[in-house]
Amino acid sequence: MLDIALWISLALFTAATLLTLYRAAIGPDLPDRILALDTLYVNSIALIVLFGIWLNDKIYFEAALLIAMLGFISTVAVCKYLLRGDIIE
Amino acid sequence: MEALFSMTTGVLAACGLFLALRGRTFPVVVGLTLLSYAVNLFLFSMGGLTTGGAALIKGQGGDYADPLPQALVLTAIVIGFAMTAFSVILAIRARSDLGSDHVNGNRLDEPREESS
Amino acid sequence: MIGFHTAMEGVIAFFMVAGGVFAFIGALGLTHLRDFYMRLHGPTKTTTLGVGCVLIASMGYFSLVKEGLSYQELLITVFLFITAPVSAHLLAKSALHQKLPRFEPTRDDIPELKEQGEDDEGERASRQP
Amino acid sequence: MDHLIALPILLPLVAGLGLLLNREGPATPRRVVSLVATALLLAVCALLLVQSADGTIRYYALGDWQPPFGIILVADRLSALMVTLTALLALGSLLYASAGNDEQGSNFHGLFQLQLMGINGAFLTGDLFNLFVFFEVLLIASYSLLMHGGGKARIHSGFHYVVLNLAGSALFLIGLGVLYGTIGTLNMADMAAKVPGLDSSRLVLAKAGAMLLLVVFGLKSAILPLYFWLPRAYAAAAAPVAALFAILTKVGIYAILRVFTLIFGAQAGALAYLAQPWVWWLSLATLALGGVGVLSSRDLRTQVAYLIIISVGTLLAGIGMNSIDANAALLYYMVHTTLVTGGLFLLVDIIAHQRGKAGARIVRGRAVNQTALLGTLFFIGALTVAGIPPFSGAVGKALVLKAATASQLVWLWPVLLISSLAAIVALSRTGSTLFWRTSGGERRRERHESGERDKEHERDKDSERGQRRVGAMRTAGLLLLLGASPLLVIFAGPLTDFTSATADQLADQEAYIRSIIEREAPSDATGDEP
Amino acid sequence: MIPVRPWLPMPLLSVLLLAMWLMLQQSVSVGQLLLGGFLALVIPLITRPFWESQPTVKRPWLLLRYVLRVLGDIIVANYEVSKLILNPRSRMSPVFIEYPLELEEAFTITILASTITLTPGTVSAHLRLDRRTLVVHALNAEDVQATIDRIHHRYERPLKEIFEC
Amino acid sequence: MPLLLIVLLPLVGGLLPIMSSNERRGACAAVAAAPVLIALAVALYYAGAVLDGEVFRQAYRWIPALDLSLALRLDGLSLLFVLLILGIGLLIIVYARYYLLASDNAPRFYAFLLLFMAAMLGIVMADNLLLLWFFWELTSLSSFLLIGYWYHQSEARKGARMALTVTGAGGLALLAGLLLLGRIVGSYDLQVVLDSRDMIQADPRYLPALLLVLLGAFTKSAQFPFQFWLPHAMAAPTPVSAFLHSATMVKAGVFLLARMHPALAGSPEWLYLVGLTGLATMLYGGYFALLKYDLKGVLANSTISQLGLITLLLGLNNQIATVAALFQILSHALFKAALFMTAGIVDHETGTRDIRKLQGLWRTMPLVAVVAVVAGASLAGVPYFSGFLPKEMLLKESLDTQLLGGLSWLIPVLATLGSLLSVAYTIRLVNNVFFQGPMPELPKTPHAPPRLMIAPGLLLAALSLLIGTLPALTTTALLTAAGNAALVGDTPELHLVVWQGFSLPLLMSAIALIGGAALYWQRKYLFAFQRQFRARDARLLFEASVQSLVHTTQRVIDTLENGSLQRYMLWLVITILGLVGGTLLDATELRGPLPLQPLDGVVIVGAGMAIFAGLATAILHRRRLISLLMLSIVGLMTSLAFARFSAPDVALTQLAVEVVTMILLMLALFFLPQRTPKESGAARILRDVLLATAFGGTVASLNFAVLTRPLESISQFFIANSVPGGGGYNVVNVILVDFRGFDTLGEITVLCIAAVGIYKLLNRLRLFMPSSDAEGRPWSRDRHPLILISVSQTILPLALLVSAFIFLRGHNAPGGGFIAGLVTAVALILLYIAHGVDWCQRRMSFQYQPIAVAGVGLATLTGLGSLALGYPFLTSAIGTFYLPLIGKIKLVTTTLFDLGVYLTVVGATLMILANLGKLTTTHRPSKQKDKEKA
Ligand code: NA
Ligand code: NA
């Protein structure tokens, strides 16, 4: 059961990432692309966690944690750029 | 798997090089960063592509991924970061001193924007 | 009689699939909705929850297969729920700043979106009740 | 435990860190620390040189992890010679810098010491990846030092230098990766031992990796199609920095020499000496273009930079000739050219400074104040680099020419001799413009014709000169480097004995491998308990 | 509540940090408690200068209730958003709402803004510089005033009670 | 007594005048003369034995690797030259004391002169081919200095440069020739070479070696067609000219011919090359000597002619002719020095050297006139003057020559013509200047020169006369000894008598004398004839050709190194493709024996995304922000790939670095122009795409080839020793901090240096700051969004906690100092983004550089700690402790090392970002300003 669920989940997340890539590619505006990128980061957390479940190993916990933190910060930085140009004023 | 992986590093390296051949500092720096991603993947794969074999000793002998290229890549990533940082700031400095972001610094074809 | 183990597996499987479904719907929203402000809703809410579900599944799974409870993932979940709205807020703020086009029926008579207006006019408007 | 081998790296590291901690405040303490550290370094390196003279190849296992697993530093004759040369050059350029150049930007001394650390590391390491790391240390330090003092030219040429070297670093990693991926080790001696055992399908890969390394080292050493970054960058650098940079191209040359005589040395079967034929033809082209460049220079600094290209061409030709005699010759030439071109950069700086507005441009300008001193030194320097007796360049050139075999000399002699001639023509033009064709000289001519002297006027000028005279520190630095030239001639006997012995040692790959890897012992016995 | 002392500037934060440390380590051994306790003491001391406004929880139980309510609303929100996304023919009437703020503390405003974003149909899009108005984008709000009132009663009022009373 | 003294005394003695005062000319000349005098004494000490046939050779070891020893010899040939050099040199010193003006720098003059002398002595005494070359080049240099002595005159500078260029080039050829000779013989020892004539001439390399050596000799001796530099060398002060034309410099060339005569001569090649060159030069010089108006110009061309004569004699492969050449060397040295001295006096006293302006000078300077007449008579080859006998010998031997086969009769005819010319120009020289009517108006009123100034000339004239009258008595011994050295075998017995009865040569001599006089008388036709040709000044021609050479080189360099980075990169790529791609083409099979692993969907999607994003980064590069976002996707996919293929540490690091890189590039985006103009044409794009594709293909092929081959690596050692030896379960981390900790130390050093370097770059940086974004929208006025501020302060403690967690875990699980450091740094950067630099700086009272440096310092100190315990640098130690309540604690020194890494990363990252941020706070272009402008 878990195996099937894992594969379904993986497939859905993979499809989701493809959709976000589509949005990142077509835009049309910068916030769209940034939003897509942010979503991509969040989805990849799930992918990593699912991969960990598949391997039956938690070694990718830190990676997931870091993506959560760093994805946020890079989104913030880009938004700050759109708003103010200079991100560290 | 191996073919796809190689193709990816190849494409990334090609894209990086293409950008490095551009005429403005920003694409060049982006290109070098892209190239360094490709190189990191390349160097990493020199120990083979292992699934589920992270080099964390778990007591009983297991099938571990080659840890040495990983350590080398780590060092290379950090050094690459330092170099990228330097080149980014240098590009900013060049634009400020030379008045242009052309890699050859010789084209004043942009309106001089406001500066302090 | 279904054993605890099997029940737990069912719960974990449910969370996994639910997570996937939510994330997929979020992504669908990202691609299908008509304007940026609407697209923002999907990923912000649904994807966050979707990943939250997967993290819960992971907690369940590792609590089940390894000795002791696994609750590290909670930290990531908390983190996501703190940051996702802020990302969304900043993105919306940027979009407003850029006066991105709206879906036709949107009621957008706020000063921030006026063509000639600039940011600070919103401020002025709010000062004049 | 003999820590001497590690000291040329650790000493500048510690000194450099200390200096970086003291960023602000009066300059004197920094200068003293930096000079003392460099003098100590010279002493340490000299000791290492003396120690290496017995022909033993010593190694230092960092972290006590024995080769081939840990990183090792290796001190053979070649390494010892190179680090000593570096220390000597560094001392000269540092003396010069301490007269004021060091305060034209922040952190000069710290960066200078770390630059030395990188260079020495590259010369001493016995591990290919560690070589990459030290390349990066010396590169990043050189980027920073190149920018010392700021200015458009430095930034502009610096960007080119940085970008090309970043690309070079990427290539280094690819090449290194391929070699690791085929040979399975990083220790150079171990690689050398394992290369003969490669099957034919891996041989091609190892060759490709080696070729990538050759490109990288060629870029660093400024071989023909890859040297274009050098003239502008070196001409733009602050004098003491440019002087120190005289050793940077030699790092590339050293790397070629080391990798392609050890890993791909005689024992390597199908891959034996695979770089040398390429190096040979490219070096000839480099030499030729260096000669063209020297003639074309409109600026003295650029001219010296092209003289470096000529010297690089000569050195690489030495490598390309691929014989013990040629290697011995190129090592002598290396010592000579490094010190003298370094000294020339310093001299040019003084000349440019004293000429006022004309600076280093090769045009008629104000006369220098210390004609006798500067003129003599320029004359000596020019003769030395042009390879004219009685200075060291002549000995070096003659050694290289003499080392050519019958089939090589047909190519080498004309190219090298004609590029020497180009240097003679160019430098005599430069020297006569700088020292003879001066606006002051015109006044002299009037006096000469009227046969009298205007004492008053002289005194006025003397007081003005007093302010623009080269100080003791600068003179000391200058003399240390340029003064090496006659000394290298007088003591050419012992030095060439040493370089011949070094070339012999280089040619004996088996001895090198034996000194580092005990191939009889099973590998698990070498992992020591810390 | 834990009293504030010079060496314990933000007691709640310290407790949270300790909890998180144990969460990270997945262990409640004495060693981890000591280490976590140490970090829980030191980190607030280091980061104190960076806290502009120090939120003080006046009514912890209300906070708990608030959290649970928001969690529930998140699930509802996701259900509704999913419905809207999956049914492309559904007629939406998006609107930008100017929400008048009563809250004054930066921290509480942030919590409110985040809550608005996570809960059904709304995303907080812009906080005006005077901090009095929050611009909210609603995906489908026929009645603007009703939405404002819902936010006010359901979230802002409780937050004011928890932090600012 | 060491022979070395003869060379060394003038060499070291050159320092004496420098140390003496310019004001006291007498003393200056005296200290210059002293070493020369002593050296002369030393030479004379040996002279007797040498004249008796003894050869002195002394050698000191110098550079064995070069076969170069400090070997000197004194044989007859050397002695002849040594005496000439030192003797005439001494006279020149005396002469110069009166010649130099008060404004001339006498010490410098004497120093250069002595250097020149020493170099010349070195040439004639060298007993080693390479040593000879050493001194040879030294004469080029010292003559360069002497010719350029009056450097404020353009003619002097140009003359000096031309001399140096021509003789320098010859010197290089000579080096090649001598090296070739050394190779043929197998030794650079002069005696060995001289004894190996048969071996040399049988060798196929004989002709090239001969050509190269002759090139050296001919350029130095101003032989046709290299004669053009010599007339311009007269820009030198006259004492120098006198020396240069008589005993030194030009004589070096003929000396070399004589020196190498036993080894190289005797072949038809020698005969043709040397003989014909000498003949041509003799005629050329003679003809132009007749046409020159400048006194020194006449003399210079006469030197060319006379050296042509000597060369011709040496080239005849005839023993008597060779001795005659030696005789003429001696004779020419004496009378030419005397003639130059008179020319110098004339110039000195009258202020001009133009023959057309001078006449009748004998009235004011009768002694000078006497010298001129005697020396001139020698030059013209009048009987009983020194030049007569060598000329007679030439005419006699020329009759026997078979140089031109059937046309051999031309040789004596042309030799006679040469003599005739020399007679004509000598008469013109002496008659026009000293006689022929009254004294004209001159720039200066001439006086009789000081007596000591004329004395050297008188002495030389007297010697000339003496030799001319008593040749056998004065010269037989010397010429025999010299001939012994210059000939294979012994010198034939010499019958040096002036009157040898009527003979064909005497008739030819007479024809020459009478014909010469007649030619002088009717010279106006000759002048008229010459006027038909455009006068071509060799100096201008030379300068112009050097100029055009320089311009050509400048064009080449400017085209090749056009300052274009793209061009340089192109070369790099071409080199890679040529060297590496070429190698890969040799590979018969790219795919190795390993089976391929199966693909799965996630990997395909991930790789596809990476490829897509990479292509998008490149294609959309002109839309910078989008390109950057795409790059960030590549970064994320790269990290995921590391995670997928079992490298959690690498994935973490890549992630953290990627974010910081993004932030940096965002900063660049703001300070750099926001748009990339379209600059590359379609052709350029196509070219770059092709290059990039080829490069990518190379990389991919290499990657695939390595991936499909099995690898036996040293890595098993690390896996086996990680726990027992390194005390950690995370092998990668143990490699980083222990097995290869030295790499990591270097790596953090790089980071630290980069930060320091960036700090330097930011110094006094004037930034461009756009007042609006790319679409022209003004920036938002909300500098620090409130919500961001609140969240950033919340995240900071969390991030620090996570940092601590990651740091402490690193040794056993994915993590470590580097990643922990980046997490801390990124959290702090978030604060900077939210609050701005001013706000943060107020709350962080420390500087970042010391932190970064301290980090590297800590790592270094950890390494140094092991030195104290007698272990190598960076040896780790593991300690296990038991504490109550807590239990077992394992402490590894590498933790300290990792802490150093952590500090470096935090310090360096913040130094880079915060310092850049700092620059912008105060000067932000405001919207207000924009409005005012509008
Ligand atoms: Na690292
Ligand atoms: Na490392």
Side-chain angles (χ1 to χ4, degrees), chain C residues 24-55:
Chain C
F24 185 73
I25 292 174
L28 218 54
L30 183 65
T31 43
H32 281 62
L33 291 178
R34 308 290 294 271
D35 71 14
F36 171 77
Y37 304 99
M38 294 165 77
R39 291 195 277 269
L40 190 56
H41 288 261
T44 310
K45 297 189 180 76
T46 339
T47 304
T48 311
L49 186 66
V51 175
C53 287
V54 169
L55 286 165

Side-chain angles (χ1 to χ4, degrees), chain D residues 365-510:
Chain D
R366 188 165 76 188
V368 296
N369 296 327
Q370 292 160 288
T371 320
L373 176 70
L374 299 183
T376 310
L377 287 176
F378 181 82
F379 192 64
I380 293 176
L383 295 179
T384 309
V385 286
I388 309 241
F391 300 105
S392 50
V395 177
K397 187 169 71 182
L399 281 166
V400 173
L401 289 171
K402 194 164 163 281
T405 63
S407 58
Q408 288 163 346
L409 69 82
V410 182
W411 297 99
L412 179 71
W413 286 14
V415 177
L416 184 53
L417 291 175
I418 289 172
S419 73
S420 289
L421 182 61
I424 293 174
V425 172
L427 287 170
S428 64
R429 274 171 65 85
T430 306
S432 87
T433 306
L434 255 49
F435 291 97
W436 288 355
R437 198 163 154 247
T438 54
S439 16
E442 291 304 303
R443 280 202 291 280
R444 264 188 70 96
R445 178 183 205 169
E446 286 156 25
R447 283 205 305 281
H448 178 72
E449 279 162 5
S450 63
E452 62 182 40
R453 275 171 184 244
D454 185 352
K455 296 272 179 194
E456 192 97 19
H457 180 67
E458 282 294 303
R459 227 175 295 127
D460 277 359
K461 280 201 71 190
D462 279 343
S463 64
E464 180 197 331
R465 281 171 187 181
Q467 292 159 1
R468 292 196 297 125
R469 289 180 84 81
V470 51
M473 288 284 263
R474 290 210 161 114
T475 315
L478 197 55
L479 287 180
L480 185 66
L481 298 184
L482 283 183
S485 181
L487 291 180
L488 286 175
V489 176
I490 295 169
F491 298 106
L495 183 56
T496 48
D497 287 348
F498 187 86
T499 57
S500 301
T502 309
D504 284 335
Q505 196 178 45
L506 264 181
D508 192 353
Q509 293 88 6
E510 290 302 324

Side-chain angles (χ1 to χ4, degrees), chain B residues 22 24 50 66 93 96 101, chain F residues 679 688 715 761 763 766:
Chain B
R22 299 300 94 209
R24 300 280 160 172
T50 314
D66 190 341
R93 176 94 217 187
S96 151
D101 73 330
Chain F
E679 285 171 325
D688 289 352
S715 291
L761 275 181
N763 181 36
R766 284 173 63 252

Side-chain angles (χ1 to χ4, degrees), chain D residues 212-229:
Chain D
L212 271 166
L213 292 190
L214 179 61
V215 174
V216 178
F217 300 154
L219 182 68
K220 308 267 186 275
S221 63
I223 201 169
L224 175 62
L226 311 175
Y227 83 82
F228 302 128
W229 56 271

Side-chain angles (χ1 to χ4, degrees), chain D residues 334-348:
Chain D
M334 174 122 74
V335 175
H336 134 78
T337 190
T338 306
L339 295 175
V340 172
T341 41
L344 270 182
F345 273 117
L346 301 182
L347 180 63
V348 168

Side-chain angles (χ1 to χ4, degrees), chain B residues 1-2 9 14 22 24 37 45 49-53 55 57 66 70 74 93 95-96 101 104 112 114, chain F residues 563 565 597 624 644-646 653-654 658 671 679-680 688 703 715 729 731 761 763 766 768-769 933:
Chain B
M1 191 89 90
E2 283 79 1
T9 53
R22 299 300 94 209
R24 300 280 160 172
Y37 288 161
S45 73
L49 301 175
T50 314
T51 303
I57 308 294
D66 190 341
Q70 294 191 17
L74 279 179
R93 176 94 217 187
R95 200 272 173 124
S96 151
D101 73 330
N104 304 327
R112 195 179 162 86
E114 209 160 310
Chain F
L565 179 63
Q597 299 177 41
R624 294 185 172 182
R644 170 66 183 76
F645 296 111
S646 313
T653 312
Q654 174 74 45
E658 201 251 334
F671 296 119
E679 285 171 325
S680 317
D688 289 352
N703 201 349
S715 291
Y729 289 86
V731 185
L761 275 181
N763 181 36
R766 284 173 63 252
F768 284 79
M769 281 185 286
K933 260 192 234 159

